[in-house]
Amino acid sequence: MTADERAARTRAADDLCSTAYADCSGPDNGVALVAVGGYGRAELAPHSDLDVVLVHDEGVELGELATKIWYPLWDSGSQLDHSVRSLPEMVAAADADHRVASGLLDVRHVAGDPNLTLRLRTTMLAQWRKGARERLPEVRTASLNRHRLIGELAHLSVPDVKEAEGGLRDATTLRGIVATWLVDVPHTELEQSRQALLDVRDVVQQLAGRASDRISPEMWPDLAVALGLADDRAAQVHVREIGRRITHLSRLAWRRVDGVLSRPRSPQTPRRPVLEPLAHGVALSAGEVVLDRKADPAHDPVLLLRAATVAAERNVVLAPATAARLVRECAPLPEPWPEEARHLLVRLLASGRGLLEVWETLEETEALTRFLPEWERVRLLPHASVIHRFTVDRHVVETCIEASELIRTVARPDVLMVAALLHDIGKGGLTEHSVAGEPIARAVATRMGFEQESVDLIAHLVRWHLLLATTATTRDPDDPATVDLVASTMGTAEALSLLSALTEADAKATAPKAWSSWRAGLIVDLSRRARAALDTGVALPPITTDELTVPDDLDPASVSITVEPVPDGSRITTIALDRVGLLADFAAMLALQRVPVRAARVWAQGEYGVSVWEVGAESVDPAILRTKYDAIVGGRADPLTRFAPGADALAPTVVVRPEASEQATVLEVRAADRPGVVYLVCSALARLDVAVRSAHLDTLGPQAVDVFYLQEASAGALSETRAAEAAHAVRAALS
């Protein structure tokens, strides 16, 4: 339907332009009005510009012809992108800029001299093919820069259907690659995907009421209705699947271009393709893994995994036609898998960066369902947390790539790689994904032929893959209960070592901030302590805090504030006469300055209270902080009026965790991440005369997860009644 609408819009635009040309008596020879770009391809969206050029032969005088043509087009309300050039000027502009050259590949006659348009089109195509070897690297560089700037259509939270990787711009680039005659691209698949994405863009512009190519979150339900899809989730899958397919075709095409450009210009082309044997039944031909002439898919159930593994390890293309053939002809894997199949899968997962494109080929050809049907659970599934830069399936592949760098740090690389593959397999349901994923991982590992001990270990890693990251960032590392939780849950040093590697790989695959030096330090330290407890049965002693030297000039009414740069931020140390509410005032000081707090440790040193704050700001002026602190203490600044709780969509949760410590009462607070949360919590506790021993602060997307270790001002954990009172007060302060 939308293709017909695009054709109707193009016909209307053609009528408008040709009428304007005729009304000003445009000549029939030597001058032509041509459409280029999207208008040239007859693919006008509801709010597209009319991209036109008035072309003329050299020596033809136009006078006021151009102005006479443009005015009625402007008067019609059309958005016009216009220019006037002679044929030689068109050729020179295309020679100087690959973007102009690419746009002129879609030149289409609208009015005037059709022979001139034909000469222009023929010249542009000839020039494009003649200079393809020099031009294509420029096009590739421009595309990669755009991808880095915009992101990938399949994974963006607000997809750009034109400029993102896998969008319409890339689809047009692929058409240009095909026009060079250097390589081929699956034309039918490309054109179907391109037309489907044009349909999406048409609806997006209709919904936006303007020339927009971005799908905002609120558009998904209406987009689903317009495209005849079940719901907003189906609309997301539809759009992201198109983007992924175009990305796959683009990467395949550029691989083939690289192969052509790396060969001499005039090679002696053999009559039959040269096959370089790589493994049993598998060979390399023109830079792509294919089947050799002796391959017997019907009697070799491991052939698909063998071909994929060889391609990934060599970082070359697994020919899509080969993968598709193996889907049709390869014998199914027996259950449990033979040892060779299991070893090949582990090698495939551990192949590093070469895994990505091979895995995409397996997805696009539906070959994954042959050995991992559970993959459909997470395919193109968006993450609930915005901190993730990829959809769940791509995140899993990236986790495997990161884990491949760590296989020499663990005793069981095979277990690590399969756990990395399956760690998020439980996502997409209502049950906590680590809980839901455990039985799925157990079933998959059993089918793969792992012995029972390894099956149990893989399932255990999937169940507890968040343990280290969550505990390290939300629990006091100096509390024996924290180390005991990790050690008792993992049970063995081998399991803990695997969990440490999986945690690092999972975090690095999530986003750069998920494995900052601060987070990494917390996780590594907790893992080290738990490892010592498992190895010796005795936990390492807590990190002792050396007494800090109190400045000689620090009077009882003053404060000492020092700032020390650390990786990814700063460490702020404060010393002041101890009192209830001191921590709240320091939290307010930092919040007023919009300094993001990661963690805080507090202790008493004689009559002074000392606090050390790990913050995310790299440049903090202690003089400004001292001014803010003095204003708060002196009553000139009232933080309560600045950080009063807002109307959040979700109510805050405040929970007492009695199992987390025997020395203190642990209060876990989850609320919208905004300045002042720590202050509101600490001030509410101060009003109850409750002391904060330490605070452990974390941010998961838009949510703050803050944990406070509380004691009575006279020392000791809170009673159940006092703990409930504290939780109620904090909840009220944040609500």
Side-chain angles (χ1 to χ4, degrees), residues 439-463:
I440 301 172
R442 187 177 298 279
V444 173
T446 300
R447 186 173 74 237
M448 290 177 177
F450 282 96
E451 74 282 2
Q452 190 58 49
E453 182 181 357
S454 296
V455 170
D456 293 341
L457 186 51
I458 291 169
H460 195 62
L461 288 169
V462 170
R463 170 64 183 88

Side-chain angles (χ1 to χ4, degrees), residues 4-69:
D4 293 338
E5 293 172 353
R6 286 192 292 276
R9 283 191 291 269
T10 300
R11 285 194 300 271
D14 285 353
D15 290 343
L16 181 67
C17 291
S18 59
T19 299
Y21 190 88
D23 286 350
C24 62
S25 302
D28 295 330
N29 296 301
V31 182
L33 185 63
V34 299
V36 298
Y39 181 27
R41 293 188 295 274
E43 293 170 355
L44 287 177
H47 296 278
S48 289
D49 292 348
L50 299 184
D51 199 349
V52 294
V53 182
L54 189 63
V55 187
H56 60 92
D57 276 325
E58 195 170 18
V60 174
E61 294 295 331
L62 297 182
E64 297 183 356
L65 177 63
T67 303
K68 292 178 179 179
I69 295 174

Side-chain angles (χ1 to χ4, degrees), residues 572-597:
I572 301 172
T573 302
T574 66
I575 305 175
L577 197 65
D578 201 11
R579 56 181 169 82
V580 173
L582 180 63
L583 189 66
D585 289 343
F586 285 141
M589 170 190 75
L590 296 172
L592 287 173
Q593 196 59 23
R594 292 294 194 271
V595 176
V597 179

Side-chain angles (χ1 to χ4, degrees), residues 561-680:
I561 301 175
T562 58
V563 178
E564 171 191 359
V566 297
D568 304 320
S570 304
R571 179 176 295 124
I572 301 172
T573 302
T574 66
I575 305 175
L577 197 65
D578 201 11
R579 56 181 169 82
V580 173
L582 180 63
L583 189 66
D585 289 343
F586 285 141
M589 170 190 75
L590 296 172
L592 287 173
Q593 196 59 23
R594 292 294 194 271
V595 176
V597 179
R598 293 169 170 168
R601 298 183 69 246
V602 185
W603 68 92
Q605 187 172 308
E607 62 180 336
Y608 291 98
V610 180
S611 63
V612 177
W613 303 77
E614 304 287 341
V615 303
E618 295 183 356
S619 179
V620 181
D621 188 339
I624 294 178
L625 292 181
R626 188 174 294 106
T627 300
K628 297 286 186 185
Y629 176 82
D630 290 341
I632 293 167
V633 174
R636 297 187 301 278
D638 183 6
L640 274 177
T641 62
R642 294 285 301 276
F643 303 116
D648 297 325
L650 297 175
T653 62
V654 182
V655 181
V656 177
R657 300 291 186 191
E659 77 286 354
S661 176
E662 296 179 358
Q663 303 172 348
T665 298
V666 177
L667 198 69
E668 181 179 280
V669 178
R670 292 175 180 255
D673 182 35
R674 63 175 187 268
V677 170
V678 179
Y679 162 71
L680 290 171

Side-chain angles (χ1 to χ4, degrees), residues 37 40 50 84-85 165 189 196 210 223 227 338 345-346 381 418 582 604 677 722:
L50 299 184
V84 180
R85 284 176 177 164
E165 183 176 6
E189 192 175 355
R210 55 190 175 84
L223 189 64
L227 296 177
L345 176 69
V346 173
L381 179 66
V418 174
L582 180 63
V677 170
R722 285 278 283 165

Side-chain angles (χ1 to χ4, degrees), residues 222-571:
D222 292 333
L223 189 64
V225 172
L227 296 177
L229 300 171
D231 52 27
D232 57 341
R233 168 83 175 93
Q236 287 206 45
V237 170
H238 176 70
V239 172
R240 297 182 192 284
E241 195 163 33
I242 296 170
R244 178 166 292 181
R245 187 170 298 116
I246 293 175
T247 296
H248 170 68
L249 294 174
S250 181
R251 289 172 179 167
L252 174 65
W254 283 116
R255 284 275 196 162
R256 290 174 173 173
V257 167
D258 290 343
V260 170
L261 297 184
S262 65
R263 294 197 295 268
R265 285 180 178 268
S266 301
Q268 292 296 323
T269 305
R271 292 182 178 274
R272 300 182 66 181
V274 176
L275 296 178
E276 176 190 345
L278 300 178
H280 180 64
V282 178
L284 188 69
S285 175
E288 299 186 14
V289 168
V290 299
L291 301 184
D292 67 21
R293 299 182 182 91
K294 297 180 180 179
D296 185 9
H299 297 91
D300 190 352
V302 184
L303 188 54
L304 173 61
L305 278 171
R306 191 182 304 125
T309 300
V310 168
E313 289 182 335
R314 285 178 167 254
N315 197 15
V316 296
V317 172
L318 171 61
T322 297
R325 177 187 169 188
L326 289 172
V327 171
R328 297 190 306 269
E329 301 179 13
C330 202
L333 282 166
E335 295 186 17
W337 290 7
E339 185 177 5
E340 182 189 2
R342 188 170 66 255
H343 288 171
L344 283 169
L345 176 69
V346 173
R347 283 174 50 193
L348 172 64
L349 298 176
S351 58
R353 200 36 75 176
L355 172 66
L356 178 58
E357 291 187 34
V358 171
W359 198 266
E360 287 178 348
T361 299
L362 294 174
E363 280 194 291
E364 292 298 323
T365 58
E366 300 183 357
L368 270 182
T369 59
R370 293 299 302 266
F371 60 87
L372 191 62
E374 293 82 0
W375 190 254
E376 286 300 313
R377 293 178 54 94
V378 298
R379 189 169 185 270
L380 292 167
L381 179 66
H383 269 104
S385 172
V386 296
I387 192 175
H388 281 270
R389 54 181 170 168
F390 298 120
T391 51
V392 175
D393 52 349
R394 173 66 177 276
H395 166 74
V396 168
V397 176
E398 293 288 337
T399 301
C400 290
I401 293 171
E402 295 291 349
S404 70
E405 298 289 329
L406 304 172
I407 57 176
R408 293 184 179 178
T409 67
V410 297
R412 291 295 304 272
D414 55 341
V415 169
L416 172 63
M417 297 313 306
V418 174
L421 174 67
L422 301 175
H423 77 283
D424 275 350
I425 200 68
K427 286 196 169 179
L430 298 177
T431 307
E432 166 60 38
H433 78 276
S434 58
V435 176
E438 180 182 14
I440 301 172
R442 187 177 298 279
V444 173
T446 300
R447 186 173 74 237
M448 290 177 177
F450 282 96
E451 74 282 2
Q452 190 58 49
E453 182 181 357
S454 296
V455 170
D456 293 341
L457 186 51
I458 291 169
H460 195 62
L461 288 169
V462 170
R463 170 64 183 88
W464 296 107
H465 70 273
L466 298 175
L467 176 68
L468 262 181
T470 302
T471 306
T473 54
T474 62
R475 292 291 184 266
D476 188 345
D478 291 341
D479 195 307
T482 302
V483 174
D484 182 63
L485 171 63
V486 174
S488 61
T489 301
M490 297 318 295
T492 67
E494 179 184 60
L496 178 61
S497 175
L498 288 163
L499 178 63
S500 299
L502 179 58
T503 300
E504 179 177 344
D506 188 14
K508 287 180 175 177
T510 297
K513 290 184 178 179
W515 192 252
S516 63
S517 60
W518 167 70
R519 281 177 179 264
L522 292 175
I523 291 169
V524 170
D525 180 66
L526 178 57
S527 178
R528 180 180 64 88
R529 289 167 176 250
R531 175 65 180 264
L534 287 168
D535 285 343
T536 66
V538 179
L540 291 175
I543 296 177
T544 57
T545 305
D546 295 331
E547 287 206 353
L548 301 180
T549 302
V550 178
D552 295 334
D553 58 349
L554 184 63
D555 63 67
S558 186
V559 62
S560 168
I561 301 175
T562 58
V563 178
E564 171 191 359
V566 297
D568 304 320
S570 304
R571 179 176 295 124

